[in-house]
Amino acid sequence: MTKQPVISLHQVDHYFGTGQLRKQVLFDINLEIFASEIIIMTGPSGSGKTTLLTLIGGLRSAQSGSLKILGHELCQASENELVQARRHNGYIFQAHNLHGSLTALENVQMGLEVHGILSKQERHRRAAEMLKQVGLEERINYYPADLSGGQKQRVAIARALVSHPKIVLADEPTAALDKKSGRDVVDIMHDLAKQQGCTILLVTHDNRILDIADRIIYMEDGRLAKQPALTA
């Protein structure tokens, strides 16, 4: 029986702007990613990596070609279809996007609230357990302002993974961190994702973390390149 990809893109193009300002930013993207794979996408700034990540994540609708996530076609998808697709995903960004008025525990619980099926007590228990797994059990009641950059990113990882998503999308998660903090963060992502069996697609310029990948793909000028993109 043929293994079905979790993420499948076929001849995907994408444009920004309209009329004379219309500019093509992705060209003929063909890509398959399978369950439990950790894929790193790298390449020069402006090559289209983040745009591709947002399409796969259902943050915007693909315009042409075929883009299937967990078997569901998202090309020309409605907003409601995109919302449904996003519920299967965890997101980790360079800017951790934590709510400053919420504690670490409350921030992580937000990763469960969108599903609306768990009691308050169960959300609390799962969030506390996930923070323990990322080494922050002593800081569950700390606010983001009282956490280091690495600790904030651990909270973001906990929030992304607490609902056991099928897919985790990470955009430059180590860019604002020093070498040790960045390594710690990706090791935690790697270990938790392997435990949960989820698929990770991670965009990075950080050559120090490439070794966690099952596969590395390269973007250059809006195209998937066969060879590493040359950077200055």
Side-chain angles (χ1 to χ4, degrees), residues 26-150:
L26 293 178
F27 300 81
D28 194 30
I29 302 296
N30 295 280
L31 177 65
E32 289 188 339
I33 299 175
F34 295 88
S36 300
E37 274 198 296
I38 296 180
I39 306 297
I40 284 182
M41 180 161 52
T42 188
S45 295
S47 59
K49 302 184 301 298
T50 296
T51 299
L52 182 56
L53 197 73
T54 59
L55 293 179
I56 291 171
L59 299 175
R60 55 165 61 101
S61 181
Q63 297 164 339
S64 67
S66 173
L67 192 160
K68 290 184 179 179
I69 307 298
L70 300 169
H72 297 286
E73 179 62 64
L74 293 189
C75 188
Q76 303 289 346
S78 68
E79 182 56 34
N80 184 58
E81 288 169 329
L82 294 177
V83 168
Q84 295 301 318
R86 290 197 289 267
R87 290 183 173 172
H88 298 291
N89 301 337
Y91 301 92
I92 304 167
F93 300 99
Q94 175 181 342
H96 41 76
N97 290 352
L98 301 181
H99 287 264
S101 61
L102 301 179
T103 64
L105 184 72
E106 290 166 339
N107 268 286
V108 175
Q109 286 186 85
M110 290 186 66
L112 295 168
E113 287 171 0
V114 294
H115 298 276
I117 56 175
L118 299 174
S119 67
K120 183 176 180 180
Q121 292 83 357
E122 181 63 11
R123 292 198 303 270
H124 183 287
R125 187 193 68 77
R126 292 193 188 188
E129 176 59 29
M130 185 57 67
L131 284 167
K132 182 178 180 181
Q133 289 190 50
V134 300
L136 290 178
E137 62 267 37
E138 302 297 323
R139 290 178 167 79
I140 65 172
N141 294 316
Y142 281 46
Y143 289 91
D146 300 317
L147 299 172
S148 69

Side-chain angles (χ1 to χ4, degrees), residues 35-38 161 165-168 192-194 196-200:
S36 300
E37 274 198 296
I38 296 180
L161 289 170
K166 303 286 189 187
I167 299 167
V168 171
L192 287 174
K194 287 299 185 184
Q196 295 185 8
C198 73
T199 301
I200 291 182

Side-chain angles (χ1 to χ4, degrees), residues 169-229:
L169 303 168
D171 193 2
E172 299 282 3
T174 65
L177 304 178
D178 61 49
K179 181 178 180 180
K180 183 181 186 309
S181 297
R183 184 78 235 179
D184 289 346
V185 158
V186 296
D187 284 345
I188 289 167
M189 283 178 60
H190 173 272
D191 293 346
L192 287 174
K194 287 299 185 184
Q195 287 174 28
Q196 295 185 8
C198 73
T199 301
I200 291 182
L201 177 58
L202 189 156
V203 168
T204 189
H205 285 104
D206 190 347
N207 292 331
R208 302 168 301 183
I209 66 171
L210 299 182
D211 59 295
I212 71 160
D214 296 313
R215 218 169 5 126
I216 300 172
I217 58 177
Y218 304 92
M219 287 282 292
E220 194 165 20
D221 297 327
R223 294 175 170 85
L224 288 180
K226 296 194 186 311
Q227 297 296 326

